Amino acid sequence: MTTTGTVLLRSVIPARAAWSATVRAGEELTLTDLHGNQAVDFLVYEARDTAVRYSAPDTIQAGGGIFLSTGSVLMSNEHTPLMTVTADTCGRHDTVGGACSKESNTLRYGHHTWSQHACVDNFLAEGARHGLGKRDLVSNINWYMNVPVEQDGTLGIVDGLSAPGLALTLRAETDVLVLISNCPQINNPCNGFDPTAVEATITGTSR
Protein backbone atom coordinates (compact mmCIF):
# COMPACT_ATOMS: atom_id res chain seq x y z
CA MET A 1 0.00 0.00 0.00
CA THR A 2 1.37 3.40 -0.97
CA THR A 3 0.65 6.65 0.85
CA THR A 4 1.46 10.20 -0.10
CA GLY A 5 3.69 12.59 1.77
CA THR A 6 6.86 12.40 3.82
CA VAL A 7 7.33 9.66 6.40
CA LEU A 8 7.18 11.54 9.71
CA LEU A 9 7.31 8.54 12.03
CA ARG A 10 7.72 4.81 11.56
CA SER A 11 7.50 2.46 14.52
CA VAL A 12 7.43 -1.29 14.84
CA ILE A 13 5.08 -2.07 17.73
CA PRO A 14 6.31 -5.27 19.40
CA ALA A 15 3.98 -8.16 20.14
CA ARG A 16 1.79 -7.44 23.20
CA ALA A 17 3.00 -3.82 23.45
CA ALA A 18 1.24 -0.45 23.68
CA TRP A 19 1.88 2.60 21.49
CA SER A 20 0.53 6.12 21.07
CA ALA A 21 1.04 9.13 18.83
CA THR A 22 -0.50 12.42 17.81
CA VAL A 23 -1.63 12.51 14.19
CA ARG A 24 -2.31 16.00 12.89
CA ALA A 25 -5.17 16.96 10.60
CA GLY A 26 -4.44 15.80 7.05
CA GLU A 27 -1.72 13.35 8.06
CA GLU A 28 -2.15 9.64 7.48
CA LEU A 29 -1.54 6.71 9.81
CA THR A 30 -0.86 3.34 8.17
CA LEU A 31 -1.04 0.15 10.23
CA THR A 32 0.64 -2.87 8.64
CA ASP A 33 0.04 -6.42 9.82
CA LEU A 34 3.63 -7.61 9.41
CA HIS A 35 3.14 -11.32 10.05
CA GLY A 36 -0.62 -11.77 9.57
CA ASN A 37 -3.57 -12.54 11.84
CA GLN A 38 -2.71 -9.94 14.49
CA ALA A 39 -5.49 -7.90 16.13
CA VAL A 40 -4.72 -4.22 16.78
CA ASP A 41 -6.92 -2.65 19.46
CA PHE A 42 -7.39 1.06 18.76
CA LEU A 43 -8.74 4.17 20.48
CA VAL A 44 -8.72 7.74 19.17
CA TYR A 45 -9.33 11.08 20.91
CA GLU A 46 -9.37 14.68 19.77
CA ALA A 47 -5.89 15.88 20.70
CA ARG A 48 -6.98 19.29 22.02
CA ASP A 49 -9.87 17.94 24.08
CA THR A 50 -9.76 14.24 24.94
CA ALA A 51 -13.35 14.42 26.23
CA VAL A 52 -14.15 14.20 22.51
CA ARG A 53 -13.35 10.59 21.67
CA TYR A 54 -14.22 7.68 19.41
CA SER A 55 -17.83 6.56 19.66
CA ALA A 56 -18.77 3.10 18.42
CA PRO A 57 -22.53 3.91 18.28
CA ASP A 58 -21.97 7.11 16.29
CA THR A 59 -19.55 5.35 13.94
CA ILE A 60 -21.88 2.39 13.36
CA GLN A 61 -24.87 4.70 12.80
CA ALA A 62 -22.97 6.92 10.38
CA GLY A 63 -21.57 3.96 8.43
CA GLY A 64 -24.73 1.88 8.38
CA GLY A 65 -23.00 -1.28 9.63
CA ILE A 66 -20.76 -2.76 12.29
CA PHE A 67 -17.73 -3.51 10.10
CA LEU A 68 -15.13 -1.00 8.94
CA SER A 69 -13.23 -0.76 5.66
CA THR A 70 -12.27 1.81 3.01
CA GLY A 71 -14.45 4.90 3.33
CA SER A 72 -15.47 4.28 6.93
CA VAL A 73 -15.41 7.41 9.11
CA LEU A 74 -14.51 7.13 12.79
CA MET A 75 -17.00 9.41 14.53
CA SER A 76 -16.73 11.03 17.96
CA ASN A 77 -19.23 11.17 20.80
CA GLU A 78 -20.12 14.62 19.44
CA HIS A 79 -20.81 13.05 16.01
CA THR A 80 -17.82 14.77 14.45
CA PRO A 81 -15.32 12.95 12.20
CA LEU A 82 -12.00 12.00 13.78
CA MET A 83 -10.38 9.80 11.13
CA THR A 84 -11.33 8.25 7.78
CA VAL A 85 -10.17 4.90 6.40
CA THR A 86 -8.71 5.87 3.03
CA ALA A 87 -7.25 2.50 2.02
CA ASP A 88 -7.58 -1.07 3.25
CA THR A 89 -6.15 -4.29 1.80
CA CYS A 90 -7.72 -6.53 4.47
CA GLY A 91 -11.35 -5.61 3.86
CA ARG A 92 -13.19 -5.89 7.19
CA HIS A 93 -12.53 -4.81 10.76
CA ASP A 94 -14.41 -5.15 14.05
CA THR A 95 -16.25 -2.51 16.13
CA VAL A 96 -18.03 -4.68 18.72
CA GLY A 97 -15.59 -7.27 20.12
CA GLY A 98 -14.07 -4.95 22.72
CA ALA A 99 -10.70 -5.15 24.47
CA CYS A 100 -9.52 -8.15 26.43
CA SER A 101 -9.00 -7.66 30.16
CA LYS A 102 -7.98 -9.72 33.16
CA GLU A 103 -11.64 -9.91 34.15
CA SER A 104 -12.92 -11.05 30.75
CA ASN A 105 -10.06 -13.53 30.40
CA THR A 106 -10.98 -15.07 33.75
CA LEU A 107 -14.67 -15.26 32.82
CA ARG A 108 -14.06 -16.77 29.39
CA TYR A 109 -10.98 -18.92 29.87
CA GLY A 110 -10.60 -19.65 33.58
CA HIS A 111 -8.98 -18.17 36.67
CA HIS A 112 -5.52 -19.38 35.59
CA THR A 113 -5.51 -16.59 32.97
CA TRP A 114 -5.82 -13.79 35.55
CA SER A 115 -2.12 -12.90 35.44
CA GLN A 116 -1.97 -12.73 31.64
CA HIS A 117 -1.33 -9.30 30.11
CA ALA A 118 -4.37 -7.77 28.39
CA CYS A 119 -5.35 -4.85 26.15
CA VAL A 120 -7.00 -2.92 28.98
CA ASP A 121 -3.65 -2.98 30.82
CA ASN A 122 -1.97 -1.55 27.71
CA PHE A 123 -4.59 1.17 27.26
CA LEU A 124 -4.37 2.23 30.92
CA ALA A 125 -0.57 2.34 30.94
CA GLU A 126 -0.27 4.20 27.62
CA GLY A 127 -3.22 6.48 28.34
CA ALA A 128 -1.68 7.53 31.66
CA ARG A 129 1.17 9.12 29.69
CA HIS A 130 -1.43 11.53 28.27
CA GLY A 131 -3.44 12.14 31.43
CA LEU A 132 -6.10 9.53 30.63
CA GLY A 133 -7.53 7.07 33.12
CA LYS A 134 -9.99 4.20 33.34
CA ARG A 135 -13.01 6.49 32.92
CA ASP A 136 -11.58 7.56 29.55
CA LEU A 137 -11.63 4.04 28.08
CA VAL A 138 -14.52 3.47 25.67
CA SER A 139 -15.49 0.68 23.30
CA ASN A 140 -12.59 0.29 20.90
CA ILE A 141 -11.94 -0.74 17.32
CA ASN A 142 -10.18 -4.05 16.63
CA TRP A 143 -8.32 -3.70 13.35
CA TYR A 144 -7.79 -7.06 11.60
CA MET A 145 -9.92 -8.94 14.15
CA ASN A 146 -12.58 -11.22 12.66
CA VAL A 147 -15.78 -11.09 14.74
CA PRO A 148 -18.68 -12.53 12.72
CA VAL A 149 -22.23 -12.01 13.99
CA GLU A 150 -24.60 -14.97 13.73
CA GLN A 151 -28.30 -14.65 12.89
CA ASP A 152 -29.20 -15.01 16.58
CA GLY A 153 -26.84 -12.14 17.49
CA THR A 154 -24.07 -14.36 18.85
CA LEU A 155 -20.56 -12.97 18.37
CA GLY A 156 -17.68 -15.19 17.37
CA ILE A 157 -13.93 -14.64 17.56
CA VAL A 158 -12.43 -16.70 14.76
CA ASP A 159 -9.35 -16.91 12.57
CA GLY A 160 -8.48 -13.52 11.11
CA LEU A 161 -8.94 -12.43 7.51
CA SER A 162 -5.55 -10.76 7.39
CA ALA A 163 -2.24 -11.96 5.96
CA PRO A 164 1.39 -10.80 6.17
CA GLY A 165 1.83 -7.30 4.74
CA LEU A 166 -1.82 -6.28 4.60
CA ALA A 167 -2.38 -2.69 5.69
CA LEU A 168 -4.94 0.02 6.28
CA THR A 169 -4.53 3.79 6.17
CA LEU A 170 -6.43 6.38 8.17
CA ARG A 171 -6.49 10.12 7.48
CA ALA A 172 -6.84 12.42 10.48
CA GLU A 173 -9.75 14.84 10.01
CA THR A 174 -8.61 16.86 13.03
CA ASP A 175 -5.58 16.63 15.33
CA VAL A 176 -6.01 13.31 17.13
CA LEU A 177 -4.34 11.24 19.81
CA VAL A 178 -4.20 7.54 18.92
CA LEU A 179 -3.77 4.76 21.49
CA ILE A 180 -2.92 1.24 20.35
CA SER A 181 -2.71 -2.07 22.14
CA ASN A 182 -1.04 -4.67 19.95
CA CYS A 183 -3.26 -7.38 21.36
CA PRO A 184 -1.55 -9.92 23.68
CA GLN A 185 -4.47 -12.39 23.70
CA ILE A 186 -3.35 -16.05 23.45
CA ASN A 187 -6.59 -17.85 24.42
CA ASN A 188 -8.56 -17.34 21.19
CA PRO A 189 -7.69 -17.21 17.46
CA CYS A 190 -7.68 -13.39 17.12
CA ASN A 191 -3.86 -13.43 17.05
CA GLY A 192 -3.44 -16.96 15.76
CA PHE A 193 -2.54 -17.89 19.37
CA ASP A 194 0.85 -16.24 18.73
CA PRO A 195 0.93 -12.40 19.05
CA THR A 196 3.28 -10.68 16.59
CA ALA A 197 4.58 -7.21 15.77
CA VAL A 198 2.81 -4.60 13.62
CA GLU A 199 4.09 -1.41 12.02
CA ALA A 200 2.70 2.11 12.42
CA THR A 201 3.71 4.80 9.92
CA ILE A 202 2.65 8.44 9.95
CA THR A 203 2.98 10.36 6.69
CA GLY A 204 2.27 13.97 5.75
CA THR A 205 4.02 17.25 5.14
CA SER A 206 7.06 18.07 7.26
CA ARG A 207 6.13 19.31 10.70
Side-chain angles (χ1 to χ4, degrees):
M1 178 179 294
T2 59
T3 56
T4 59
T6 302
V7 174
L8 305 174
L9 177 68
R10 177 175 283 123
S11 299
V12 173
I13 307 172
R16 303 178 175 87
W19 182 85
S20 62
T22 298
V23 186
R24 295 181 179 175
E27 294 177 352
E28 291 185 322
L29 170 65
T30 298
L31 300 174
T32 303
D33 189 359
L34 295 174
H35 302 281
N37 207 14
Q38 174 60 39
V40 180
D41 289 43
F42 182 95
L43 288 170
V44 57
Y45 304 79
E46 189 175 289
R48 288 180 292 268
D49 180 6
T50 56
V52 181
R53 69 277 304 265
Y54 169 74
S55 167
D58 286 82
T59 299
I60 291 168
Q61 186 275 330
I66 62 171
F67 299 114
L68 303 178
S69 189
T70 305
S72 297
V73 181
L74 311 187
M75 303 296 289
S76 78
N77 54 332
E78 294 190 351
H79 208 71
T80 54
L82 295 171
M83 305 187 86
T84 300
V85 182
T86 58
D88 175 23
T89 55
C90 179
R92 195 178 80 180
H93 306 268
D94 169 62
T95 62
V96 297
C100 60
S101 66
K102 293 181 183 296
E103 292 79 9
S104 65
N105 280 345
T106 300
L107 180 64
R108 291 172 176 170
Y109 310 115
H111 189 72
H112 68 282
T113 66
W114 174 259
S115 62
Q116 292 177 2
H117 196 56
C119 285
V120 169
D121 301 321
N122 276 342
F123 280 143
L124 288 174
E126 195 66 20
R129 299 179 57 239
H130 304 279
L132 301 174
K134 194 168 186 177
R135 69 180 63 188
D136 298 302
L137 298 189
V138 295
S139 296
N140 60 285
I141 295 167
N142 294 306
W143 302 117
Y144 301 109
M145 188 168 164
N146 189 12
V147 184
V149 181
E150 307 298 337
Q151 288 189 346
D152 64 358
T154 301
L155 300 181
I157 299 176
V158 298
D159 285 339
L161 303 173
S162 187
L166 296 190
L168 66 99
T169 297
L170 300 126
R171 181 183 64 238
E173 305 299 347
T174 186
D175 293 356
V176 294
L177 169 66
V178 167
L179 298 186
I180 283 176
S181 171
N182 194 19
C183 184
Q185 182 61 255
I186 58 173
N187 301 291
N188 69 49
C190 72
N191 300 320
F193 302 101
D194 181 22
T196 54
V198 298
E199 183 180 79
T201 306
I202 298 174
T203 56
T205 58
S206 297
R207 296 181 177 181

